[in-house]
Amino acid sequence: MPLVAAAVCPHPPLIVPELAGAAAPELDDLRAACDAAVARLLTAEPEVILLVGGGPETRIFGSADAGTLRGYGLDRPVRLWKIACSGAEVLPLSLTIGAWLVGRTRTELPRLARSVAVDAPAAECVDLGAALSAGSEGRTAVLAMGDGSACRGVKAPGYDDPRAQAYDDGVARALADADAEALLGLDPVLSAELGVAGRAPWQVLAGAVRAAGGDWRGDLGYHQAPYGVAYFVACWERVQR
């Protein structure tokens, strides 16, 4: 099957050291975990890396497209892959940070990017994941970008919500166990109420893995909420028989 490996990473802008400034060391552990997860994707020897992240709409991006962190204080484009005049700064934040993480590896592998509407129904996410899996012509590694709840404490962006801890713990278990069905069971309404940015991308990943078939194992490398937002880093790998 073309889908050979997957990873999940969050997309806080402050993971970029130039944006964090003196606070950059606060996310050193998260940055290292993300770097390790992306490096692990490359050990599966993919022929292409597919980035999936939430955005205002579901759409396909070109290989020359870029994202920008200008709104956060860094006036520099973050390119997905190719440098060409036909590209535009259109990547949503999730894919911008994903492109930044992949770019840190210096890999020359082709990169594709797809956004999924953050409010897309689960069935739509499953269908998108299945289509991405079926449309892969070469060995593909998926990098799914998304944050967990934004309600972990009174200083969290969404303030404190007693439901957030259980929700995030469930996501952590699903990622650790490579449990696609558990991810597909995440409630879109509750996810939205908790400010979860990763629900739709995780369900796209789950749909792709379900369509690819076979057995998968997971490894949860990071699960913390340093700023009241839950961040997860995980790797999924196909079990060889």
Side-chain angles (χ1 to χ4, degrees):
M1 287 292 182
L3 185 60
V4 295
V8 168
C9 289
H11 50 74
L14 290 181
I15 198 172
V16 179
E18 295 94 323
L19 290 179
E26 296 177 6
L27 291 183
D28 278 351
D29 290 349
L30 174 60
R31 200 173 297 112
C34 289
D35 286 343
V38 177
R40 194 161 164 179
L41 278 185
L42 299 181
T43 66
E45 299 182 344
E47 297 169 344
V48 62
I49 299 175
L50 171 60
L51 278 67
V52 177
E57 61 180 341
T58 299
R59 63 171 289 186
I60 299 172
F61 296 93
S63 59
D65 286 336
T68 180
L69 295 170
R70 190 174 298 113
Y72 300 94
L74 184 61
D75 191 10
R76 185 176 74 221
V78 180
R79 300 194 179 278
L80 176 59
W81 181 34
K82 293 183 177 179
I83 299 176
C85 59
S86 59
E89 291 183 2
V90 292
L91 298 180
L93 175 63
S94 60
L95 296 177
T96 298
I97 297 299
W100 179 81
L101 286 172
V102 175
R104 283 164 63 84
T105 70
R106 307 291 185 182
T107 180
E108 297 295 328
L109 287 175
R111 270 146 273 177
L112 305 174
R114 305 288 186 269
S115 65
V116 56
V118 293
D119 59 353
E124 182 180 320
C125 296
V126 171
D127 290 344
L128 177 57
L132 293 177
S133 181
S136 300
E137 297 181 357
R139 292 171 59 86
T140 302
V142 172
L143 177 58
M145 305 297 299
D147 300 347
S149 76
C151 301
R152 296 279 294 277
V154 295
K155 295 184 178 181
Y159 197 64
D160 186 53
D161 192 310
R163 301 171 296 175
Q165 182 74 57
Y167 180 99
D168 292 330
D169 288 346
V171 172
R173 286 193 299 272
L175 293 175
D177 296 338
D179 189 343
E181 299 307 316
L183 292 181
L184 293 176
L186 294 175
D187 179 11
V189 174
L190 175 59
S191 300
E193 291 174 351
L194 295 177
V196 178
R199 190 272 307 171
W202 299 332
Q203 290 183 330
V204 171
L205 168 61
V209 167
R210 175 197 273 180
D215 295 327
W216 293 75
R217 61 170 171 261
D219 182 13
L220 182 65
Y222 185 97
H223 172 207
Q224 296 184 42
Y227 301 131
V229 180
Y231 299 143
F232 308 95
V233 179
C235 295
W236 285 15
E237 296 170 331
R238 184 181 289 277
V239 176
Q240 301 299 323
R241 296 294 184 184

